[in-house]
């Protein structure tokens, strides 16, 4: 059986590579199934502290399988719901995630990148919503994710007017954290991801959840209350106590 997802572990970082380059890594049912299983396994592995998601060949992910979209137009929505589950599963993971966008991220493929915590873009990357060009309303929370990152004006330019952003423009818009030469993309993603390995796993997961919920409409006072509770919890961690003792021995300044 041909596998469509490569999973490589290097110390605490798992690199997931969508590996269907002939079809530009579209989110087919079999690929989505492998992606869901991979996240189940990685979340159960205490040694894994971060995930990098990228694509094989010249594309990150060219979107949904058109067969599933055609079936949905005829009343069978199961394929489209499966596509949704791919990026919603990435959005739900407690593991910190980085999308290493090595080429086009289109439609549902853009949703997959948006679902990650950080996006690094290669110089050859580009980001295209494309839904309206296909006669489709955006789906899967696309408008919410995009608006949250780039604001209403850039979201409108991309969704309503079809503006496509390359890697450098994506950084300017706030869609990507950094744009790097193609050959430096995976090394840069691995280097960024590796820093998570120095953090106690449960602390890392709790802090990711705090970041993810930071813009959910709660007041400053509510967030202070939540952060205070979790910070006091973190003070009881053995590693934290040891670090604080070591820091107290060092001269300040």
């Amino acid at each position: 059986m041909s596998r469509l997802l490569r999973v490589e572990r290097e110390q605490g970082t798992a690199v997931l590579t969508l590996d269907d380059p002939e079809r530009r890594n579209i989110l087919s049912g079999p690929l989505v199934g492998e992606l869901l299983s991979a996240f189940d396994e990685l979340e159960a592995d205490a040694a894994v502290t971060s995930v990098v998601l990228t694509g094989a060949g010249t594309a990150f992910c060219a979107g949904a399988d058109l067969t599933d979209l055609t079936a949905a137009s005829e009343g069978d929505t199961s394929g489209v719901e499966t596509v949704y589950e791919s990026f919603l599963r990435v959005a739900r993971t407690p593991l910190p995630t980085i999308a290493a966008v090595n080429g086009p991220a289109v439609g549902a493929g853009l949703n997959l990148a948006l679902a990650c915590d950080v996006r690094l873009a290669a110089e050859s990357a580009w980001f295209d919503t494309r839904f309206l060009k296909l006669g489709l309303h955006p789906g899967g929370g696309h408008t919410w994710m995009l608006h949250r990152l780039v604001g209403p004006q850039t979201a409108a330019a991309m969704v309503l007017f079809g503006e496509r952003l390359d890697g450098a423009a994506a950084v300017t818009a706030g869609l990507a954290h950094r744009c790097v030469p193609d050959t430096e993309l995976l090394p840069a993603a691995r280097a960024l991801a590796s820093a998570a390995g120095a953090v106690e796993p449960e602390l890392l997961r709790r802090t990711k959840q705090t970041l993810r919920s930071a813009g959910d409409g709660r007041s400053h006072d509510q967030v202070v209350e939540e952060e205070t509770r979790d910070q006091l919890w973190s003070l009881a961690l053995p590693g934290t106590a040891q670090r604080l003792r070591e820091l107290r021995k060092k001269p300040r300044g």
Side-chain angles (χ1 to χ4, degrees), residues 63-212:
D65 190 334
L66 294 180
T67 302
D68 291 329
L69 295 174
T70 301
S73 72
E74 298 170 352
D76 179 5
T77 62
S78 59
V80 168
E81 290 167 358
T82 296
V83 170
Y84 280 11
E85 185 57 23
S86 63
F87 48 81
L88 293 176
R89 182 67 181 84
V90 174
R92 287 196 303 266
T93 185
L95 294 169
T97 52
I98 297 171
V101 183
N102 56 300
V106 180
L110 176 51
N111 279 354
L112 187 63
L114 292 172
C116 293
D117 298 308
V118 173
R119 283 148 299 283
L120 298 184
E123 290 177 342
S124 62
W126 45 270
F127 302 81
D128 187 359
T129 73
R130 196 170 291 186
F131 289 102
L132 267 63
K133 294 175 186 176
L134 297 176
L136 294 172
H137 190 284
H142 180 79
T143 57
W144 184 88
M145 291 188 290
L146 191 62
H147 184 283
R148 193 166 182 250
L149 284 168
V150 304
Q153 184 165 240
T154 299
M158 294 181 70
V159 175
L160 300 179
F161 301 105
E163 183 166 283
R164 191 174 88 176
L165 302 185
D166 61 20
V171 173
T172 300
L175 181 55
H177 175 57
R178 195 159 68 229
C179 181
V180 299
D182 289 21
T183 56
E184 296 177 17
L185 179 64
L186 269 180
R190 287 179 186 272
L192 183 60
S194 67
V199 181
E200 199 278 334
E202 181 58 24
L203 174 60
L204 193 67
R205 294 183 183 207
R206 285 204 188 197
T207 305
K208 168 170 171 167
Q209 179 56 39
T210 301
L211 280 168
R212 275 294 174 103

Side-chain angles (χ1 to χ4, degrees), residues 9 11-12 14 39-49 95 201 205:
R9 289 176 171 87
Q11 297 179 336
F39 271 94
D40 288 344
E41 293 175 11
L42 295 173
E43 289 173 10
D45 184 349
V48 175
T49 54
L95 294 169
R205 294 183 183 207

